[in-house]
């Protein structure tokens, strides 16, 4: 009896198909780019004030920040990152995109790891202005360089060992330390003989 043929199921290709920009063709990208280059923000009026303040704060810190908030839902959530990357090619700096289905980032100022750390720490249910602030503050927050910390600790241990060794020899030389025996081992001068 021969075994039945094995059948593998492969994920179907993206049903949207075409160029990535086709996924967000409903967005008026030229108008969004115009708003972003003018003010740094393309968002509903009730969120623009807080976001504009954040953009100005980032500018004062030496970072170009651009924030898009859209009410359009895109799937998969990675489309928001694709939109951010598309916008960032025109605006430069750092682009944050927020929508009902997720958020996306792209930057020449911050690494992908720094941005992902920021997005992973956004509080659940945060508004777009709050989320943008959390991402930005995490990205500019100084990170601990563990390589330098490790090197510094090794140097401290080595210096401590050298100092202990030098002090041990100095105490032997000035007569306050244990005197070496004839065979080269240390002898405890304060030891009382066994009776």
């Amino acid at each position: 009896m021969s075994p039945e043929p094995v059948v593998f199921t492969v994920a179907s290709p993206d049903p949207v198909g075409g160029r990535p920009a086709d996924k967000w063709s409903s967005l008026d990208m030229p108008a969004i780019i115009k708003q972003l280059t003018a003010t740094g923000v393309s968002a509903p009026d009730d969120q623009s004030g807080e976001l504009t303040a954040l953009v100005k704060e980032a500018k004062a810190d030496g970072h170009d920040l651009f924030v898009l908030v859209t009410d359009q839902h895109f799937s998969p959530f990675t489309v928001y990152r694709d939109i951010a990357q598309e916008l960032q090619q025109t605006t430069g700096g750092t682009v944050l995109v927020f929508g009902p289905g997720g958020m996306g980032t792209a930057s020449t100022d911050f690494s992908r790891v720094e941005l992902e750390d920021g997005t992973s720490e956004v509080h659940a249910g945060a508004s777009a202005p709050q989320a943008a602030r959390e991402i930005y503050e995490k990205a500019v927050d100084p990170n601990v360089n563990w390589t330098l910390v490790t090197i510094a600790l090794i140097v401290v241990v080595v210096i401590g060992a050298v100092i202990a060794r030098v002090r041990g020899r100095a105490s032997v030389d000035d007569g306050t330390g244990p005197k070496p025996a004839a065979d080269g081992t240390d002898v405890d001068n304060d030891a009382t003989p066994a009776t």
Side-chain angles (χ1 to χ4, degrees):
M1 182 167 139
S2 64
E4 303 231 353
V6 178
V7 177
F8 293 99
T9 304
V10 186
S12 63
D14 185 353
V16 174
R19 299 176 313 122
D22 292 341
K23 296 177 185 177
W24 61 79
S25 59
S26 56
L27 291 177
D28 185 353
M29 293 298 269
I32 290 170
I33 290 170
K34 185 176 180 182
Q35 283 181 310
L36 291 179
T37 54
T39 65
V41 175
S42 177
D45 290 339
D46 62 331
Q47 298 177 2
S48 292
E50 285 181 75
L51 291 171
T52 301
L54 178 61
V55 166
K56 288 179 180 177
E57 182 182 317
K59 189 71 163 174
D61 293 341
H63 300 287
D64 292 325
L65 180 64
F66 304 93
V67 184
L68 166 64
V69 180
T70 178
D71 60 357
Q72 296 187 37
H73 186 281
F74 297 104
S75 183
F77 68 91
T78 55
V79 173
Y80 295 99
R81 182 196 61 216
D82 297 339
I83 295 168
Q85 289 173 337
E86 179 81 11
L87 291 170
Q88 199 269 337
Q89 290 177 11
T90 303
T91 63
T94 301
V95 177
L96 308 178
V97 176
F98 299 94
M103 65 184 86
T105 61
S107 180
T108 53
D109 291 346
F110 306 107
S111 71
R112 171 65 43 203
V113 172
E114 290 170 322
L115 292 173
E116 287 178 1
D117 281 351
T119 56
S120 68
E121 293 188 16
V122 170
H123 291 87
S127 65
Q130 181 184 352
R133 179 162 293 281
E134 289 176 7
I135 293 169
Y136 176 72
E137 288 178 354
K138 179 65 178 175
V140 296
D141 187 34
N143 296 310
V144 176
N145 186 333
W146 289 108
T147 302
L148 292 178
V149 171
T150 302
I151 291 170
L153 288 174
I154 291 170
V155 168
V156 167
V157 169
V158 168
I159 290 172
V162 168
I163 290 171
R165 180 86 175 179
V166 168
R167 284 192 176 170
R169 287 191 182 221
S171 67
V172 169
D173 291 343
D174 68 7
T176 59
K179 304 233 182 310
D183 64 357
T185 60
D186 288 339
V187 175
D188 186 358
N189 294 329
D190 296 332
T192 53
T195 52

